[in-house]
Amino acid sequence: MNLIWILSLLVLLFVFFGNGFGGNVSSRPAVVNIGAMFSFDSTIGRVAKIAIEEAVKDVNSNSIVLTGTKLVVHMQDSNCSGVLGMVRALQFMETDIVAVVGPQSSVVAHLILNLANELQVPFVSFAATDPTLSSLQYPFFVRTTQSDLYQMTAIAEIVDHYGWREVIAIFIDDDFGRNGVSALDDALAARRCKVSYKAGIPPESKVSRALILDILVKVALLESRVIILHVNPDSGFMIPLLLFHPRPWIHCKEFLFLRAHTPDSDRKRDFLSRWTKMTGRSSGLNSYGLYAYDTVWLVAHALDTFFNQGGIISFSNDSRLRSIEGSNLHLDAMSIFDGGALLLKNILQSNLVGLTGPIKFNPDKSLILPAFDVINVIGTGFRRIGYWSNYSGLSTVPPETLYSRPPNRSSANQQLYSVVWPGETVVTPRGWVFPNNGKQLRIGVPTRVSYKEFVSQVRGTNTFKGFCIDVFTAAVSLLPYAVPYQFVPYGNGKENPSYTELVRLVTTGFFDGVVGDIAIVTNRTKIVDFTQPYVASGLVVVAPFRKLNTDAWAFLRPFSLLMWGVTAAFFIVVGIVVWILEHRMNDEFRGPPKQQLITILWFSLSTMFFFPQREYSEHPGSYGVAYMALCGVETLKTSDEPIGYQVGSFVENYLIKEIGIPKSRLVALGSPEEYATALQHGPKKGGVGAVVDERPYVELFLSSQCKFRIVGQDFTKGGWGFCSVVMPQGPGHYCLKMRACVNLWLTRECTALFRSFDGSWPTPFSAFPRDSPLAVDMSTAILALSENGDLQRIYDKWLTRSTCSSDSAELESDRLHLKSFWGLFLIIGLACFVALVIYFIQIMRKFYGTANSESISRGEGSRNLQTLLSLIDEKKDLSKREQKRRKGDRSSSENDLELERTPKRRPTQLSDEGSD
């Protein structure tokens, strides 16, 4: 029996220790091994090695983390080599390594992380910044430093902050460099900026000076002077670097670079003091050393949690590797870490504070609250000019002070301190220059045969003159740099060339730009970029002008006889409708039938010539009837007469496609003389009924042709501008997309109001290209022409001329003089005279009736005159109904007035009176 009890007790103890304390004890080994992979002899590696060793010492001396377990780190030198890194990783996998601190290089990481996925060993890197490493392809990779995704976002916001639109990227041509620049591309595009040129550097440990100079010479031929260097520290550059210099081949002593932000803390200051004691200097410690130190602590905390959860260090063989025979690689020695998934989960769920600040990960496995210091290097020194954080953008206060406030990414809140730029200046550079590649811009110019005041070629030369040419050359002369260009004629010289084809040649690269009287229309804006219109334009209709002799009945001419009749009938109908609506409630529309008929006629008459009086109508529906207006518009579509247009103009296509006029009705005219002849002949003699053309041409035509005039208003609005597209020419592709707010009434503020031209007017802003910094300078130059009066003087020089008084004649013809209305005045006078005659007849009848009743003697003239005047001044007796109505109104008003004058009594007094 005792033996049975002893056996039972042993079973219970076995179960207790096996499932309870026994599990914990066995899951906490005496030693836990982790690896560390980085390049020992590198700028980052030399600092990281010391930091990792110090972190391991601090972990093992800590009484809270990994109690009873010693953390041992095994370091391997990858030398930033993908092949060597793979070998080192394989060596780790043959041992009981449960996690790896590293790798340092993004290139190495891309090669070995597939192995980490297979063997389920977490790799925690303190220096690999390639943003693509955070993808789902590498689930066992964790980054404890900032991703280049945020670094490039910070650079893009700085570029946008200083108003630059293009940058040049110089990068190491490997996974790290290419993926970083790709992220920069995306970040700049989101802010309407771009990388205009990319220069790759071979991924070698040392880059020759000759290679760097060759790259800088190519860069010197480009227009952008904002250079982004995305290289590793051992390439001879500081990273990340944002550089500006007008001559990039000269050593630049002033530039900007970004440094991962680590908030100040007591722990950080203490560690810096320790570092100084260990190394004898404090300048060697960088943010990567701090990240390496924190990475060891992160892994230690995750392992401590792993053990507390009952995790054990165990490995299993991969059957797929064991099946490979005939190999000396000993792949069967590699094993899968069974607890790798749990350890990875603990790492990603960590929430602690290290030397670099909070260590916590978001869902895409990146550190929360990424931030950078913006550093201005000045000679051998540097100063911090601000910060960037993903939370609030650019600021001059530390990001950690902003986390307690609502995020504010408004442009007014984006601030940095002043920067010392190359040349020791604090003036923000323009960021680009015109490319110095020895090539001239080919500017196409139409060779017109008519309206040469706008643009024409000087006979026997390659020079041009005219209004458009003077505006262009005057604007270019105001630019703060030289713009090499040459004018290239386009056309056969016999007729005006097709402007649509001229614009198309810009897209093919035959021309770099076009200068001339180029209309901005929708189909052209789809293929090229225009400046803002430097002269207002729009399509107008020109027709023969026949001055009619004015006479007494001229006022009847606006309406035909039928129209007058319809108008009169319409207003009578309006009067009847108003009477129907009003007669039940408005006393003015009630009474005997004769009186109501007179009211209807009077209301119709007042509606026709004047506005109906408010007191006449009381029903709200009557106003909607009385205020309806007649309308009708005659357009070109309703006529079948021929219409003239200028040869080579877009008008033909516009009239056919937009207005819907058949092509058979359109007649091409090549000169102002042909305009005049066709209009004079008219449709019956083989001419045209009207000419449709742009207003600048028409105004010049009418300055010497007084027999014609503009009919109606402009039915399109637009303008003229210069146009171009991006023209790639070798490594230094450049563009001439001139954009300018050149209307005379604009101010410089227009440069900030960029929006696409959609054919509307007077909104004077057409499409601003995203990739042409030259456009802003051209806009400023032409605005300066407008403000100093030069643009108006150029206009007056070429386009202000007149040999006839067509304007005054047109003005006089539109006026109705006094003699034109004597017929109307005669009718009104006769109506007044007849009304007075009838009135006096009525008065005289009443006078004689009164004289007979009072037996007034004929000899008393003065008395008779007094009686007559008294009858004229006597107030007409009201009807009984009217007297009763007015009496009731008067008594009601008196009662209201009396109530207002009577003082109110208190409620208690009323109660007292009721009780008496």
Side-chain angles (χ1 to χ4, degrees):
M1 180 64 68
N2 292 332
L3 181 62
I4 294 176
W5 280 107
I6 292 174
L7 290 175
S8 300
L9 181 61
L10 290 176
V11 170
L12 290 175
L13 291 174
F14 176 79
V15 172
F16 179 78
F17 283 103
N19 295 331
F21 292 109
N24 267 340
V25 170
S26 61
S27 65
R28 282 191 175 272
V31 176
V32 59
N33 296 292
I34 65 173
M37 181 188 300
F38 52 91
S39 180
F40 291 173
D41 191 24
S42 66
T43 303
I44 296 177
R46 286 189 291 269
V47 175
K49 187 174 185 297
I50 300 174
I52 291 174
E53 291 172 348
E54 291 301 309
V56 171
K57 293 179 183 178
D58 292 345
V59 168
N60 289 330
S61 62
N62 189 277
S63 60
I64 300 177
V65 178
L66 291 179
T67 303
T69 300
K70 181 180 180 181
L71 180 66
V72 177
V73 60
H74 302 271
M75 298 186 184
Q76 295 282 7
D77 185 6
S78 64
N79 199 25
C80 289
S81 168
V83 175
L84 187 57
M86 176 62 74
V87 173
R88 299 306 187 194
L90 290 173
Q91 291 175 347
F92 278 145
M93 299 303 107
E94 293 178 350
T95 61
D96 57 350
I97 298 294
V98 297
V100 176
V101 176
Q104 170 189 331
S105 168
S106 298
V107 175
V108 175
H110 276 283
L111 290 175
I112 68 174
L113 287 183
N114 288 318
L115 179 64
N117 295 341
E118 292 294 330
L119 303 181
Q120 299 186 12
V121 176
F123 278 68
V124 188
S125 176
F126 57 88
T129 58
D130 182 353
T132 62
L133 294 174
S134 298
S135 64
L136 298 177
Q137 181 182 358
Y138 307 114
F140 279 84
F141 175 79
V142 181
R143 189 189 345 253
T144 57
T145 186
Q146 303 295 350
S147 168
D148 281 342
L149 178 66
Y150 300 109
Q151 184 174 240
M152 297 307 171
T153 302
I155 292 176
E157 291 196 17
I158 293 175
V159 169
D160 183 58
H161 176 73
Y162 289 114
W164 301 324
R165 287 293 170 262
E166 293 186 2
V167 303
I168 296 171
I170 300 177
F171 60 96
I172 297 296
D173 197 5
D174 56 15
D175 292 334
F176 159 75
R178 287 190 298 270
N179 293 332
V181 172
S182 177
L184 177 64
D185 259 331
D186 295 339
L188 289 172
R191 291 155 183 82
R192 302 191 66 177
C193 306
K194 75 168 189 176
V195 178
S196 61
Y197 183 72
K198 301 175 183 177
I201 300 176
E204 301 173 357
S205 58
K206 297 295 181 181
V207 181
S208 66
R209 181 178 177 83
L211 178 61
I212 298 298
L213 288 177
D214 182 61
I215 293 175
L216 293 180
V217 168
K218 293 180 180 179
V219 168
L221 299 177
L222 307 180
E223 62 183 19
S224 178
R225 285 296 177 266
V226 181
I227 303 173
I228 309 297
L229 294 180
H230 184 55
V231 295
N232 58 65
D234 297 294
S235 299
F237 300 96
M238 298 185 67
I239 61 168
L241 179 68
L242 190 151
L243 166 71
F244 168 84
H245 201 274
R247 292 173 292 176
W249 58 86
I250 296 179
H251 180 60
C252 184
K253 296 182 179 180
E254 296 86 18
F255 53 88
L256 300 180
F257 78 94
L258 298 182
R259 179 181 65 192
H261 174 72
T262 56
D264 290 333
S265 64
D266 293 337
R267 289 187 60 194
K268 179 180 174 181
R269 284 188 287 270
D270 292 343
F271 186 79
L272 182 59
S273 178
R274 286 174 54 190
W275 184 274
T276 304
K277 294 178 181 179
M278 287 186 299
T279 63
R281 57 191 179 93
S282 60
S283 58
L285 181 61
N286 54 39
S287 58
Y288 292 107
L290 300 179
Y291 283 123
Y293 181 89
D294 284 350
T295 301
V296 175
W297 273 96
L298 173 67
V299 174
H301 278 279
L303 284 170
D304 188 61
T305 305
F306 174 81
F307 293 140
N308 290 336
Q309 293 171 338
I312 59 175
I313 305 298
S314 64
F315 298 87
S316 59
N317 293 325
D318 191 340
S319 59
R320 291 172 296 179
L321 296 178
R322 295 176 61 89
S323 63
I324 300 177
E325 298 179 355
S327 173
N328 296 324
L329 297 178
H330 303 288
L331 297 178
D332 55 343
M334 294 187 295
S335 56
I336 299 173
F337 176 33
D338 297 329
L342 180 59
L343 179 59
L344 174 66
K345 179 181 178 181
N346 291 336
I347 292 174
L348 295 177
Q349 292 180 348
S350 298
N351 186 5
L352 61 147
V353 178
L355 299 181
T356 58
I359 303 176
K360 188 177 181 180
F361 299 93
N362 56 26
D364 66 352
K365 300 187 299 181
S366 297
L367 287 174
I368 63 170
L369 305 176
F372 293 90
D373 298 335
V374 183
I375 307 298
N376 182 196
V377 176
I378 309 169
T380 58
F382 65 91
R383 69 187 185 98
R384 183 167 50 201
I385 62 170
Y387 308 87
W388 178 90
S389 69
N390 196 45
Y391 184 79
S392 58
L394 299 174
S395 67
T396 55
V397 297
E400 52 270 17
T401 64
L402 300 175
Y403 295 148
S404 59
R405 311 174 191 173
N408 186 351
R409 300 301 295 267
S410 64
S411 58
N413 196 55
Q414 305 302 297
Q415 298 177 353
L416 292 174
Y417 291 120
S418 61
V419 178
V420 177
W421 301 102
E424 298 183 355
T425 177
V426 294
V427 178
T428 302
R430 188 173 62 246
W432 74 282
V433 297
F434 203 83
N436 184 22
N437 52 17
K439 297 181 180 180
Q440 292 183 324
L441 298 178
R442 288 173 50 86
I443 306 298
V445 183
T447 54
R448 296 191 58 90
V449 297
S450 63
Y451 295 113
K452 292 187 176 182
E453 293 85 352
F454 293 103
V455 59
S456 63
Q457 185 175 9
V458 178
R459 185 182 299 273
T461 67
N462 290 327
T463 61
F464 288 81
K465 64 179 181 178
F467 170 72
C468 302
I469 300 299
D470 282 3
V471 172
F472 175 78
T473 55
V476 171
S477 66
L478 294 180
L479 296 178
Y481 44 84
V483 179
Y485 65 89
Q486 60 174 334
F487 289 135
V488 181
Y490 175 76
N492 56 19
K494 299 179 180 179
E495 63 179 6
N496 293 336
S498 170
Y499 280 36
T500 300
E501 179 63 19
L502 174 61
V503 171
R504 190 191 67 81
L505 289 177
V506 178
T507 65
T508 64
F510 187 78
F511 290 129
D512 297 326
V514 171
V515 171
D517 46 336
I518 313 297
I520 302 175
V521 293
T522 303
N523 61 339
R524 294 175 184 172
T525 59
K526 294 178 181 178
I527 59 175
V528 296
D529 298 304
F530 280 90
T531 68
Q532 296 301 320
Y534 56 87
V535 63
S537 180
L539 291 183
V540 295
V541 179
V542 182
F545 169 57
R546 182 168 60 91
K547 186 175 181 180
L548 298 176
N549 294 326
T550 183
D551 53 32
W553 304 103
F555 72 93
L556 294 174
R557 286 178 183 161
F559 287 168
S560 64
L561 181 61
L562 177 61
M563 187 62 185
W564 277 112
V566 172
T567 302
F570 172 78
F571 282 109
I572 291 176
V573 171
V574 170
I576 294 173
V577 172
V578 173
W579 175 81
I580 294 173
L581 295 173
E582 294 284 342
H583 83 283
R584 295 185 62 191
M585 62 182 65
N586 193 339
D587 290 338
E588 299 291 343
F589 289 84
R590 302 184 68 87
K594 179 180 178 181
Q595 180 180 344
Q596 296 185 44
L597 179 60
I598 293 173
T599 302
I600 291 174
L601 294 176
W602 172 249
F603 187 87
S604 300
L605 184 64
S606 64
T607 302
M608 180 181 294
F609 292 103
F610 311 101
F611 232 61
Q613 299 300 317
R614 171 74 185 181
E615 60 270 15
Y616 249 12
S617 55
E618 297 180 359
H619 194 282
S622 62
Y623 289 100
V625 177
Y627 291 172
M628 292 176 65
L630 298 174
C631 62
V633 179
E634 294 291 333
T635 64
L636 296 175
K637 293 178 62 175
T638 60
S639 173
D640 57 356
E641 296 181 348
I643 300 172
Y645 68 93
Q646 185 179 171
V647 173
S649 172
F650 74 96
V651 175
E652 177 186 14
N653 185 68
Y654 182 86
L655 293 177
I656 294 174
K657 293 187 177 181
E658 301 297 331
I659 305 299
I661 296 176
K663 187 175 182 179
S664 59
R665 290 180 53 196
L666 302 181
V667 179
L669 304 174
S671 66
E673 292 75 17
E674 293 184 16
Y675 280 23
T677 302
L679 289 171
Q680 288 175 351
H681 288 171
K684 296 181 180 180
K685 297 183 180 180
V688 297
V691 171
V692 177
D693 206 348
E694 297 176 74
R695 178 172 282 277
Y697 302 121
V698 171
E699 290 178 349
L700 193 59
F701 169 72
L702 294 180
S703 66
S704 59
Q705 299 290 337
C706 307
K707 298 180 180 180
F708 313 101
R709 61 175 284 180
I710 296 175
V711 179
Q713 302 295 324
D714 299 21
F715 58 92
T716 66
K717 299 288 186 179
W720 292 351
F722 308 128
C723 66
S724 67
V725 294
V726 174
M727 300 301 302
Q729 302 202 8
H733 71 269
Y734 56 89
C735 63
L736 175 63
K737 295 187 177 180
M738 290 165 288
R739 56 201 175 177
C741 305
V742 290
N743 297 284
L744 298 178
W745 49 274
L746 291 181
T747 60
R748 294 184 184 274
E749 282 74 10
C750 76
T751 56
L753 302 175
F754 301 159
R755 71 188 185 98
S756 297
F757 173 77
D758 58 2
S760 61
W761 195 262
T763 306
F765 307 107
S766 81
F768 276 83
R770 297 183 178 183
D771 48 5
S772 176
L774 175 63
V776 176
D777 291 343
M778 282 296 293
S779 299
T780 304
I782 300 183
L783 283 175
L785 292 177
S786 173
E787 293 173 357
N788 61 26
D790 287 347
L791 190 58
Q792 183 62 47
R793 282 188 285 272
I794 296 173
Y795 183 90
D796 295 340
K797 170 185 174 182
W798 291 100
L799 304 180
T800 302
R801 59 185 63 181
S802 178
T803 59
C804 67
S805 57
S806 58
D807 293 339
S808 61
E810 181 176 335
L811 181 62
E812 291 294 324
S813 67
D814 291 337
R815 293 176 177 173
L816 290 176
H817 300 277
L818 179 61
K819 62 181 180 180
S820 302
F821 283 88
W822 75 263
L824 179 60
F825 293 150
L826 177 62
I827 295 175
I828 296 175
L830 289 175
C832 294
F833 177 76
V834 171
L836 288 174
V837 169
I838 295 175
Y839 175 74
F840 278 109
I841 291 175
Q842 293 176 346
I843 292 296
M844 294 305 296
R845 289 179 59 188
K846 190 171 183 180
F847 171 73
Y848 285 117
T850 303
N852 293 333
S853 63
E854 296 181 0
S855 302
I856 301 175
S857 62
R858 294 180 178 269
E860 298 178 351
S862 60
R863 186 175 180 182
N864 293 340
L865 179 60
Q866 291 179 358
T867 302
L868 178 61
L869 294 176
S870 64
L871 289 175
I872 295 175
D873 187 55
E874 183 182 13
K875 189 175 182 180
K876 183 179 179 181
D877 293 337
L878 299 175
S879 63
K880 294 182 179 180
R881 178 182 177 186
E882 184 67 16
Q883 291 176 355
K884 183 177 180 181
R885 184 179 68 82
R886 294 196 176 186
K887 181 178 180 181
D889 293 343
R890 183 165 55 253
S891 62
S892 177
S893 300
E894 292 175 352
N895 291 337
D896 293 340
L897 184 59
E898 183 66 24
L899 287 175
E900 292 178 359
R901 293 177 177 175
T902 303
K904 297 181 180 180
R905 298 183 178 179
R906 296 182 179 178
T908 54
Q909 293 175 343
L910 292 176
S911 300
D912 293 341
E913 290 176 0
S915 62
D916 286 343

